[in-house]
Amino acid sequence: MREILFGLTMLLLFFTSVYHIVTDINWMNTAEASASSEYIQVVVEPGDTLWRLADLHNEMYQVGIQEMMNWIQEENDLDGPFLYPGQVLKIPNTHK
């Protein structure tokens, strides 16, 4: 009986490990393809502001919102903080 219980426990541990390994694999699809690059592209939506985008992406790099705003402006050659819907911006990839 102990051998059966031990065997079942080992099987459970094995399948649990396999499950975690398989779910951690980053299956590349179109939406995740940018995860392997240094930048992601963000399409500006109506109501988006430079401050909001900087606030969404600054914590990964532990920088202030103003510093991230400056980085976004410089990397995208923006003349000012104004954005328009449909504009495509380059943002540091926070999914690395």
Side-chain angles (χ1 to χ4, degrees):
M1 181 67 176
R2 289 179 80 185
E3 293 85 14
I4 293 173
L5 186 57
F6 179 77
L8 289 174
T9 303
M10 290 289 111
L11 275 174
L12 179 64
L13 287 173
F14 173 76
F15 285 117
T16 303
S17 299
V18 169
Y19 172 79
H20 285 289
I21 290 169
V22 169
T23 57
D24 284 344
I25 294 174
N26 186 9
W27 302 103
M28 297 292 280
N29 62 30
T30 308
E32 295 173 338
S34 64
S36 63
S37 66
E38 189 175 344
Y39 304 104
I40 59 172
Q41 289 186 344
V42 174
V43 178
V44 176
E45 299 291 329
D48 279 347
T49 63
L50 187 59
W51 187 91
R52 181 182 171 281
L53 293 176
D55 186 40
L56 287 173
H57 298 280
N58 72 326
E59 290 183 21
M60 178 70 167
Y61 296 97
Q62 298 179 349
V63 297
I65 294 173
Q66 185 62 50
E67 187 176 344
M68 182 60 78
M69 286 175 62
N70 293 341
W71 186 95
I72 293 170
Q73 281 184 289
E74 289 173 14
E75 289 298 314
N76 292 283
D77 296 320
L78 300 177
D79 292 330
F82 303 106
L83 306 176
Y84 57 88
Q87 186 176 12
V88 178
L89 298 176
K90 185 169 57 170
I91 306 284
N93 188 356
T94 60
H95 303 291
K96 287 185 131 182

